[in-house]
Amino acid sequence: MKLPLYYEDIVKILPHRYPFLLVDRIIEMDPAKRIVGIKNVTADEPFFEGHFPGNPIMPGVLIIEAMAQVGGVMACLAIRGNAERGTQAPVFFMSIDKVKFRKTVVPGDQLRFEVKALRTGSSVWKMAGKAFVAEMLAAEAELVAKVR
């Protein structure tokens, strides 16, 4: 696939949809090795209404979910046939380890996710992800997911 990938490309790969699709763009990819994705954090995100009124902060769990979705794009495209068929492959979390939050994410920030494959397989993938705002590390985690 030609980069960058935008919304219309991403929805052909992942089954997620608004308001739970948390990836706006894929800007770099070395198939089955590394991927970089973008999430533009806007003030009208539905979760900001309650997290927290007057002091909006993106929930950490959604930062990790967005990171996993970027990794899911890499895994789905690496599994033979998905890209050519344009099929959506469900991606399921199996485990999340070594999670650390380093910086709050607020409206107006742009999250850049860098995800590396640590172990690949036909269906089970282990990945290490980092989320940055500008050059500041906002979160990091190791993710294990199953791709069907």
Side-chain angles (χ1 to χ4, degrees), residues 42-103:
T42 62
D44 62 348
E45 304 278 359
F47 49 80
F48 284 136
E49 187 175 326
H51 199 267
F52 299 100
N55 185 27
I57 297 170
M58 185 172 181
V61 68
L62 294 180
I63 296 169
I64 301 303
E65 173 65 27
M67 182 185 300
Q69 288 180 17
V70 170
V73 170
M74 175 175 60
C76 288
L77 290 177
I79 293 173
R80 188 176 197 88
N82 283 341
E84 292 80 18
R85 291 192 314 262
T87 58
Q88 298 166 351
V91 181
F92 301 102
F93 270 132
M94 293 176 68
S95 71
I96 308 166
D97 295 309
K98 300 181 183 175
V99 177
K100 293 186 181 161
F101 298 102
R102 310 245 183 223
K103 178 189 181 323

